[in-house]
Amino acid sequence: MKYLLFFFFSFLSLQAMAQEERDNAVSKKDTVRKSLREAPKEAPKASIDKYRILTLERDTTYIDTSLSIKKDYQFNHLRKDNFGLLPFPNDGQTYNTLDFGLKQNNVYPEFGFKAKHFNYSKASDINYYSVATPFTELYFKTVSEQGQSIDAFITLNTSEQLNFSLAYKGLRSLGKYRNSLSSAGNFRFTTSYFTKNKRYKADFHFVSQDILNNENGGVSNLNNFESNNAQFTERARLEVYLEDASSFLDGTRYFLDHSFRINTNDGSNNLTINHQISYEDKFFEFKKATFTDRFGSSYKSSDYSDGTKSNFLYNKLGASFTSKLLGDLNFFVENYQYNYLYNRIIISNNQIIVPNTNNNKLNAVGGKYFYNKNKIKGEALFSTSISNQAFSTLDLSAKYEINKKNDFSFQYLNQSKIPDLNYTLYQSSFVNYNWKNDFKNEKINTIKLKANTQWLSAEAQVTLLNDYLYFKDVDLSDTIVISTANQYQKTINYLSLKASKELKFGKFALDNTVLFQQVTQSDNILNVPKLVTRNTLYYTDYLFKKALYLQTGFTFQAFTKYYSNEYNPLIGEFYIQDKTKTGNFPLVDFFINARIQRTRIYLKAEHFNSSLTGRNYFASPNQPYRDFIIRFGLVWNFFQ
């Protein structure tokens, strides 16, 4: 609530600042701002390149208010295309990962609890802005039961040099199953600044995020779900494993990336000092009030409360030499400090003490070369540790652009990754969930090839995994789940081929995305479906003298059967299993989308074939996929 109030008052303040800026701009005869002030109901007269979105890596795109099938794919709580992710029944819950290629690795040890992080924004997810006039975007979407999903955003430049943005993404959904409430809040603040001669540049952001889920552990009697018994179509009547459990992830981050050019004037050769600093704290907690034996024996008979805290401080200091002839060369040193702790010390049954803290200071040195000339872009990054704990990264990539419609790219990535902290240390009220491990680094070798052409977009990935870390259920019963951290001593080979193509026939179009995956391994450790597909047939046209742009059609999704991972809410992670296969069920959505000026309206009948193709659709072995539901929402943009 405090962030909502802060957002509201900040919005009013920024609007006042914007009004003052416009008044000053008129006095200075700024024709662009004056034209916008005199005709606010019209489309902005500033050119599109005046409304820029910049990533941390300084890649630039522009604000886009058009309606396309890609925008339909992004109309969800994550605000991005979630192909390769299979959502759980309620909004705001976790996702089962169908596409292993989506996984990204940081060589530094991270907090863990990855199943809780799908809606958690990392530093690389935060964008920065530069706009000619204040810009606002409002997102709204209905949820599965009693609640709503919103995302409100505003950005403005008080001058060409200084930009601010404020955003709040919130969700609350009761869900159709027992004990499945979801509640989340993501507050974001950014600012960007540069001096008039662009000698000094800075990007700063602050984020505060909290994700609360009531955790029911899945349906305990799947026969009731799969039956056509009318009483069980009311999903709240189905028995679940956990009636009063919940998990909570909370995090805040302060981040600054800035640089200072040594030479006074921007010339063909520049020397720049770069500094990046990030401080982040996280907290994960699992709670349950009444007795359960779902996770085996416990030290307590009720009031379970397992909390894990951590904080991370990252510093990167570097010097860059930029030459228009030779490219950019950067040398840097990194310092990464972390504290990971519990509020107790556990002595296991065999008298092994499980400590309550894990902290360390890691240092690395490295260099990065960037070349961009004519039609070729290339990057080479190498970093290695200079501290006691070894880790390293080698990242080589190149892109060749034939023209605006055709380009090819290549990447080779070699990583020696330190295990995430919850793999090495964990404490719990449940006896079998206490461990202190000394795992080796994960070794990850990846080759990626991409081709974006006017005929087809395709990419291939080959990954070799050594010392792969995973969680596994070691209990053989169906009612008890004991997930332990493990390291696979053999090599896993992963191959994926992904292709996308949109075919147009007049006002009709067929958009296709197909993913093929193959894993070679001695045991069922890395489990993925061999085939994942999404096909959308839709119709577009202008109506009412082109006042409304209509888009309507069907989206078909499916994936082949495989041993899908199961979710464990106690540790906030997925674990592997080889008892139950899921897949081979079609998901068909019908949608009607429209754009009126700068407002995009979405109406969708999700999984409307659920009662026609049999009730055997699951997001994981114990978690059903979503039933048929009608959703409504909109994205509304304002140029002021």
Side-chain angles (χ1 to χ4, degrees):
M1 186 64 187
K2 62 181 178 180
Y3 295 121
L4 284 173
L5 292 174
F6 177 70
F7 183 86
F8 175 74
F9 288 115
S10 299
F11 180 85
L12 294 179
S13 301
L14 290 173
Q15 288 285 54
M17 293 170 63
Q19 180 63 48
E20 181 180 355
E21 175 65 24
R22 286 196 295 270
D23 292 342
N24 292 336
V26 171
S27 65
K28 295 177 182 178
K29 298 182 180 181
D30 185 333
T31 57
V32 173
R33 292 184 183 272
K34 182 176 180 181
S35 64
L36 288 166
R37 202 167 89 97
E38 292 175 347
K41 294 183 180 180
E42 298 178 1
K45 292 182 172 62
S47 59
I48 188 64
D49 61 346
K50 300 297 183 182
Y51 297 87
R52 295 182 294 160
I53 305 172
L54 301 99
T55 68
L56 180 62
E57 299 297 326
R58 315 312 298 169
D59 293 330
T60 303
T61 56
Y62 303 101
I63 291 173
D64 181 11
T65 62
S66 65
L67 177 64
S68 66
I69 195 62
K70 306 302 181 186
K71 295 291 183 68
D72 179 78
Y73 297 152
Q74 297 169 5
F75 189 70
N76 54 61
H77 182 56
L78 299 182
R79 305 301 309 275
K80 63 183 181 182
D81 189 346
N82 59 6
F83 176 80
L85 298 177
L86 189 64
F88 271 37
N90 194 17
D91 297 84
Q93 289 183 303
T94 188
Y95 295 76
N96 216 333
T97 303
L98 305 177
D99 180 2
F100 179 75
L102 296 175
K103 185 177 180 180
Q104 297 180 342
N105 295 293
N106 185 344
V107 294
Y108 288 108
E110 297 183 294
F111 186 45
F113 310 96
K114 291 298 182 65
K116 294 286 294 182
H117 280 74
F118 286 95
N119 185 41
Y120 191 93
S121 297
K122 300 177 294 185
S124 57
D125 297 325
I126 303 299
N127 293 325
Y128 305 89
Y129 301 86
S130 177
V131 292
T133 61
F135 172 78
T136 304
E137 180 173 279
L138 300 177
Y139 161 94
F140 168 82
K141 188 177 183 180
T142 58
V143 294
S144 61
E145 190 81 11
Q146 295 187 27
Q148 58 279 320
S149 174
I150 63 167
D151 193 356
F153 166 81
I154 180 173
T155 181
L156 62 87
N157 276 66
T158 59
S159 68
E160 183 183 358
Q161 302 162 238
L162 183 61
N163 174 273
F164 295 96
S165 78
L166 280 170
Y168 182 82
K169 181 168 69 172
L171 177 139
R172 183 177 177 85
S173 177
L174 181 63
K176 294 184 177 298
Y177 294 82
R178 295 186 187 181
N179 196 43
S180 60
L181 170 71
S182 295
S183 178
N186 302 68
F187 174 79
R188 314 182 298 279
F189 168 78
T190 74
T191 183
S192 299
Y193 172 77
F194 60 87
T195 55
K196 288 186 178 180
N197 59 2
K198 296 185 179 180
R199 194 175 181 185
Y200 176 76
K201 300 178 181 179
D203 292 323
F204 170 83
H205 76 247
F206 166 77
V207 295
S208 179
Q209 308 176 77
D210 57 86
I211 302 167
L212 170 68
N213 295 105
N214 285 355
E215 305 281 9
N216 61 29
V219 176
S220 58
N221 190 335
L222 298 179
N223 291 328
N224 290 337
F225 172 80
E226 293 178 335
S227 71
N228 289 318
N229 192 325
Q231 68 171 330
F232 294 120
T233 56
E234 182 66 34
R235 298 310 189 191
R237 295 180 178 178
L238 291 167
E239 296 290 335
V240 294
Y241 284 107
L242 305 172
E243 292 280 358
D244 59 351
S246 65
S247 68
F248 179 68
L249 175 66
D250 179 76
T252 58
R253 180 174 60 250
Y254 301 86
F255 180 91
L256 174 65
D257 181 62
H258 57 150
S259 62
F260 179 76
R261 191 179 68 243
I262 300 299
N263 44 308
T264 305
N265 299 316
D266 185 8
S268 57
N269 299 293
N270 297 316
L271 180 62
T272 305
I273 303 299
N274 310 287
H275 179 230
Q276 189 178 108
I277 182 172
S278 174
Y279 176 80
E280 183 169 21
D281 61 74
K282 289 185 178 182
F283 173 71
F284 175 80
E285 182 179 40
F286 174 86
K287 297 178 70 174
K288 191 180 189 307
T290 59
F291 171 79
T292 182
D293 60 358
R294 177 65 172 162
F295 306 108
S297 58
S298 60
Y299 297 110
K300 304 174 67 176
S301 60
S302 62
D303 294 325
Y304 309 102
S305 180
D306 296 342
T308 310
K309 297 180 181 179
S310 70
N311 56 70
F312 305 87
L313 176 63
Y314 173 76
N315 267 286
K316 180 180 180 181
L317 180 64
S320 299
F321 175 74
T322 303
S323 170
K324 292 184 178 180
L325 177 63
L326 302 176
D328 300 345
L329 183 61
N330 174 253
F331 295 98
F332 58 84
V333 293
E334 295 176 309
N335 175 260
Y336 186 84
Q337 304 179 35
Y338 63 87
N339 293 289
Y340 177 86
L341 53 101
Y342 294 87
N343 60 2
R344 59 195 172 197
I345 296 177
I346 300 292
I347 301 178
S348 65
N349 292 335
N350 55 3
Q351 301 302 304
I352 297 176
I353 297 177
V354 179
N356 65 341
T357 61
N358 181 9
N359 52 73
N360 203 351
K361 296 181 180 179
L362 305 172
N363 298 293
V365 295
K368 184 176 182 179
Y369 175 71
F370 178 74
Y371 178 83
N372 184 6
K373 194 172 183 180
N374 297 326
K375 298 181 179 182
I376 300 176
K377 293 182 180 180
E379 289 187 35
L381 168 68
F382 176 74
S383 67
T384 185
S385 64
I386 53 175
S387 50
N388 292 332
Q389 195 164 9
F391 57 92
S392 63
T393 300
L394 174 62
D395 189 354
L396 306 174
S397 62
K399 181 178 180 180
Y400 177 69
E401 184 176 296
I402 300 175
N403 50 47
K404 291 183 179 180
K405 293 184 178 180
N406 301 279
D407 63 73
F408 300 88
S409 60
F410 163 85
Q411 182 186 24
Y412 171 70
L413 181 62
N414 180 301
Q415 294 175 302
S416 176
K417 172 182 167 46
I418 299 176
D420 288 339
L421 299 175
N422 63 334
Y423 279 104
T424 57
L425 175 63
Y426 193 77
Q427 286 191 7
S428 173
S429 302
F430 297 91
V431 175
N432 294 291
Y433 285 85
N434 294 275
W435 56 73
K436 174 67 171 71
N437 297 313
D438 186 19
F439 289 131
K440 300 177 184 177
N441 280 13
E442 293 184 275
K443 286 79 174 179
I444 307 161
N445 283 275
T446 300
I447 296 176
K448 292 183 180 180
L449 299 170
K450 291 185 180 180
N452 295 310
T453 71
Q454 60 195 86
W455 304 281
L456 181 74
S457 294
E459 57 185 87
Q461 176 176 331
V462 177
T463 300
L464 274 68
L465 301 168
N466 287 287
D467 298 314
Y468 179 70
L469 289 168
Y470 62 99
F471 290 94
K472 181 179 181 179
D473 181 18
V474 297
D475 191 274
L476 299 179
S477 68
D478 294 328
T479 58
I480 296 177
V481 175
I482 299 177
S483 303
T484 61
N486 296 266
Q487 187 159 49
Y488 192 55
Q489 302 300 324
K490 300 177 183 179
T491 300
I492 299 175
N493 297 283
Y494 169 80
L495 166 69
S496 71
L497 301 171
K498 183 179 178 181
S500 302
K501 175 63 179 177
E502 184 176 46
L503 304 172
K504 293 188 176 181
F505 315 93
K507 296 179 180 180
F508 288 90
L510 178 64
D511 185 74
N512 305 283
T513 302
V514 179
L515 170 68
F516 170 80
Q517 299 176 109
Q518 181 69 50
V519 179
T520 304
Q521 56 190 344
S522 300
D523 306 279
N524 291 327
I525 304 299
L526 176 58
N527 301 312
V528 294
K530 281 195 173 183
L531 190 66
V532 184
T533 182
R534 179 179 66 192
N535 312 92
T536 301
L537 176 64
Y538 65 102
Y539 169 85
T540 58
D541 197 8
Y542 284 97
L543 301 176
F544 307 113
K545 297 182 180 180
K546 295 189 176 182
L548 180 145
Y549 181 70
L550 177 71
Q551 181 186 81
T552 182
F554 297 88
T555 296
F556 170 87
Q557 300 181 77
F559 59 94
T560 53
K561 273 194 172 184
Y562 77 111
Y563 289 113
S564 61
N565 294 342
E566 184 57 279
Y567 172 58
N568 186 333
L570 174 62
I571 57 175
E573 294 276 5
F574 280 89
Y575 62 90
I576 67 170
Q577 57 85 34
D578 56 5
K579 298 177 183 177
T580 306
K581 285 188 175 183
T582 60
N584 273 359
F585 54 85
L587 305 174
V588 184
D589 302 335
F590 170 71
F591 62 90
I592 301 176
N593 304 329
R595 178 171 61 86
I596 303 174
Q597 294 184 349
R598 294 185 298 276
T599 303
R600 300 186 292 275
I601 302 170
Y602 299 86
L603 179 65
K604 180 171 290 188
E606 295 184 4
H607 199 191
F608 77 87
N609 63 310
S610 60
S611 61
L612 305 175
T613 54
R615 302 188 185 279
N616 63 342
Y617 41 88
F618 291 90
S620 74
N622 292 312
Q623 293 280 359
Y625 184 74
R626 298 171 179 177
D627 295 312
F628 165 69
I629 187 174
I630 296 178
R631 302 286 194 95
F632 167 78
L634 58 85
V635 176
W636 198 354
N637 298 128
F638 302 90
F639 292 90
Q640 299 169 311

